[in-house]
Amino acid sequence: MLKFRGCLAGGLVGDCLGSPFEGDIVVPKPALQKFIAKQLEEQTEKLPSFQVFSYTDDTAMTKSIAQSLIEMKKFDPKDMAKRFALEYNKEPKRGYGTNVVDVFAALMLANYEHPFEPAKRQFGGLGSYGNGGAMRCGPVALYGYSMEQNRLIELTRDCARITHSNLLGYNGAILQCLAINQALHIHSPLKGLIDINAFLNGLIEKMSKVETDSERNENNGSERIPTPFTDKLRKVKEILNNELKGTFYSVDKIVAILGNDISALKSVPTAIYAALRGQFPIDGFESNSPFVRTLFFAVSLGGDTDTIASMACSISGAIYGIDAIPRILLKHCESNDVMEKYADDLYRLVRCNN
Ligand code: R7I
Ligand code: MG
Ligand code: MG
Ligand code: MG
């Protein structure tokens, strides 16, 4: 239950507190340190100066997925598609991806019949490789907590395919979901270190199977099967092992190797790295909380800060649980009470299904 709450609350904190920096090429560390310290200051929310940060499309779509799974008690693609589109129509100014909004319009026009079709027409038939499928998969990982691995992968792929039919778009969602799923299942003390190599080896093994299987299905007979997400995970492992030995990487170097943009390939592995990087001290930032360090680190990379921080913090929240997230940070986020309720509802649903 604490890990379920930690996952959804973490995702919300990353989105709300990351979004003021979205699109910044450089996020100066002193300014970011000051920003986070300000939000951590114990002050009463009743003061008029207490700032509550709005969530963006990342959380809007996460909420729709949670609502759909909770109310339908199963994956119902038409219902999920409808919730995405209606939510967008209700509040279009949440910073949605430029192209995904065409999917919502087409879904609505077809009255949600064939909910996977509009996404296939994106980008001249290639489908979107944006990180919009990955950014919203927290509730999928919770709902699929005790599912057999292949079923969870299939469910995640289908939830993503409503808007993202490109292989890189939905495989990014699968990787993010598997990372959360692993985080939920590991035992972790409040501030202790988790075994980074064991965590990454698990993901590398699973993702390499996902990538080789899906490529085999897509282009039969191709000789060398590309495994871009697995390759990125190996880089994450190499960087973290070097850093554990004392060789630290600059922000520029991390961005050059892993990326920080709106594509799934250049943001999901980056978020996984940020989630694990929070375990040890970070240059230019004083905090002994792995969760807060992950938030700082993810935002400090610049680029798609709301989404990278949201994905990183949902993994961190799933590792450490809600108690590791400073209450005051959550109070600065719109809808924090709702996210906790969804986490509890999903927890109950998982327990009923077993
Ligand atoms: O993936 P998506 O939902 O966007 C999510 C991002 C997050 O950062 C949110 O916080 C929000 O700000 O947006 O939305 P899409 O419109 O499907 O994809 C986002 C962008 O990725 C597109 O507008 C394109 O710029 C780019 N993109 C592509 N460009 C060329 N070819 C995605 N797929 C392609 C492609 O196939
Ligand atoms: Mg956003
Ligand atoms: Mg945006
Ligand atoms: Mg974003």
Side-chain angles (χ1 to χ4, degrees), residues 15 19 22 55-59 94-97 131 135 304-307 310:
D15 182 21
S19 73
E22 193 183 11
Y55 62 76
T56 78
D57 60 322
D58 303 50
T59 301
R94 290 275 185 187
Y96 284 86
N131 55 21
M135 72 187 184
D304 194 1
T305 51
D306 62 333
T307 306
S310 181

Side-chain angles (χ1 to χ4, degrees), residues 306-342:
D306 62 333
T307 306
I308 293 173
S310 181
M311 294 192 294
C313 290
S314 66
I315 299 169
S316 182
I319 294 176
Y320 296 103
I322 187 87
D323 291 345
I325 305 177
R327 251 4 262 179
I328 193 76
L329 275 192
L330 266 169
K331 294 238 188 286
H332 282 285
C333 303
E334 179 187 4
S335 276
N336 59 71
D337 49 338
V338 186
M339 293 311 266
E340 276 188 61
K341 190 189 164 299
Y342 289 156

Side-chain angles (χ1 to χ4, degrees), residues 82-155:
K82 188 171 179 180
R83 286 174 199 271
F84 287 157
L86 294 182
E87 174 61 37
Y88 168 70
N89 273 15
K90 202 168 71 179
E91 295 182 334
K93 294 200 172 122
R94 290 275 185 187
Y96 284 86
T98 338
N99 297 72
V100 72
V101 300
D102 299 340
V103 177
F104 302 146
L107 284 168
M108 200 169 220
L109 197 66
N111 199 25
Y112 314 103
E113 291 300 327
H114 315 294
F116 298 108
E117 291 309 310
K120 293 183 190 163
R121 297 197 288 269
Q122 295 292 90
F123 298 95
L126 295 173
S128 171
Y129 56 57
N131 55 21
M135 72 187 184
R136 62 181 191 232
C137 71
V140 185
L142 303 189
Y143 177 80
Y145 176 77
S146 342
M147 264 182 198
E148 188 264 318
Q149 191 93 2
N150 287 334
R151 262 191 74 210
L152 175 64
I153 289 169
E154 218 164 283
L155 171 69

Side-chain angles (χ1 to χ4, degrees), residues 29-74:
K29 286 193 177 177
L32 180 58
Q33 155 106 22
K34 213 166 139 197
F35 172 78
I36 292 180
K38 181 156 185 270
Q39 315 317 323
L40 282 167
E41 259 170 39
E42 286 298 333
Q43 43 174 321
T44 164
E45 15 154 1
K46 292 186 186 86
L47 279 177
S49 61
F50 190 93
Q51 201 175 353
V52 175
F53 293 86
S54 302
Y55 62 76
T56 78
D57 60 322
D58 303 50
T59 301
M61 297 194 86
T62 302
K63 285 170 88 172
S64 294
I65 291 192
Q67 286 161 4
S68 182
L69 293 171
I70 291 163
E71 277 174 41
M72 308 313 286
K73 296 190 168 57
K74 61 171 186 176

